[in-house]
Amino acid sequence: TAIDYNVEGIYNISDIEVDEEERAYTSLKEIDRVIGGFREGEVTVWSGEPGSGKSTILNQIILEAIEQGGICAVYSGESTKSNFVKWITVQAMGWSSCVKVWDKIRERHYYIPSQEALKSFYSSVHGKLFLLEDSGTMKKETLLEKMKIIAKRNQGNVFVIDNIMQMDLGVGNKNDAQKEFMVELVNFAQKYNS
């Protein structure tokens, strides 16, 4: 006699459908080999010392996700909008698309994307890459709301939070606040399959 477990959160294992796992790859062969790519509905956390290249790697992952048909939304707690656009454009278009500029204060040259490179980059990511920002420090509730809008309106499926330490996670113990925020991010990822 079969027992009816028609209760939310209880599943008869034989009723669960198993399908082929969809994955997005990073374009970074060694990282893909180790982690097997990114799976929908999961949260991946990158950590490291300041200046260790996390933002650079995340930009490469964003660009590869777009190449694979993803819709990406990014919160960058460390960069201005302009600096974020400059750096990801250089990564997308290459150094040969840059112009050399003299920095009077530092007394050295630096490179920025040419207007042609920016125009080409904007065209290639239009409707596929969104930058999430708030005046002042981003509150977790505000960020999650913006992420929901992208997930619903644009079918966003790749969300990058580049520097959770720059966010306002509320009052109290920072470790507890980060843990609570991670739970909210996992719930978001599972709900919106992103």
Side-chain angles (χ1 to χ4, degrees):
T1 304
I3 300 173
D4 181 14
Y5 290 105
N6 193 11
V7 176
E8 186 176 334
I10 299 176
Y11 302 96
N12 185 335
I13 197 80
S14 62
D15 293 336
I16 298 172
E17 291 183 29
V18 177
D19 52 9
E20 190 172 326
E21 196 172 58
E22 298 242 354
R23 296 181 186 198
Y25 297 97
T26 68
S27 82
L28 304 168
K29 190 174 182 177
E30 186 61 17
I31 291 173
D32 285 335
R33 187 188 68 74
V34 172
I35 68 172
F38 298 107
R39 289 169 288 286
E40 291 181 346
E42 292 184 356
V43 173
T44 302
V45 177
W46 294 71
S47 65
E49 295 294 323
S52 62
K54 296 178 300 297
S55 297
T56 301
I57 290 173
L58 290 172
N59 282 353
Q60 283 302 126
I61 291 168
I62 291 164
L63 293 169
E64 182 62 27
I66 292 169
E67 184 73 24
Q68 294 176 44
I71 307 293
C72 301
V74 181
Y75 164 70
S76 178
E78 297 176 328
S79 293
T80 64
K81 292 181 290 199
S82 177
N83 284 341
F84 175 82
V85 169
K86 282 188 252 183
W87 185 234
I88 199 166
T89 301
V90 168
Q91 287 184 259
M93 307 305 291
W95 288 106
S96 62
S97 70
C98 293
V99 294
K100 193 177 190 179
V101 178
W102 179 253
D103 184 336
K104 294 175 187 175
I105 296 171
R106 292 183 170 172
E107 297 183 341
R108 67 179 186 194
H109 286 101
Y110 66 97
Y111 295 86
I112 61 171
S114 68
Q115 289 303 308
E116 296 83 25
L118 284 168
K119 185 177 178 183
S120 179
F121 178 68
Y122 287 153
S123 174
S124 70
V125 298
H126 182 73
K128 302 173 190 173
L129 178 58
F130 300 90
L131 191 59
L132 308 177
E133 192 180 71
D134 196 23
S135 58
T137 303
M138 180 74 80
K139 295 184 182 306
K140 69 176 184 173
E141 297 83 9
T142 304
L143 180 61
L144 285 166
E145 190 57 39
K146 290 174 188 282
M147 290 168 58
K148 287 176 189 173
I149 291 168
I150 296 294
K152 290 176 181 177
R153 289 187 189 167
N154 302 90
Q155 292 77 48
N157 60 351
V158 177
F159 294 87
V160 173
I161 301 170
D162 188 359
N163 207 321
I164 195 172
M165 302 304 289
Q166 300 296 324
M167 293 183 59
D168 179 355
L169 299 178
V171 296
N173 181 297
K174 278 193 169 209
N175 289 334
D176 290 342
Q178 287 179 15
K179 180 180 176 182
E180 180 183 314
F181 186 50
M182 288 305 302
V183 169
E184 292 177 83
L185 289 173
V186 168
N187 290 338
F188 174 88
Q190 291 174 350
K191 180 176 182 176
Y192 294 101
N193 206 27
S194 50

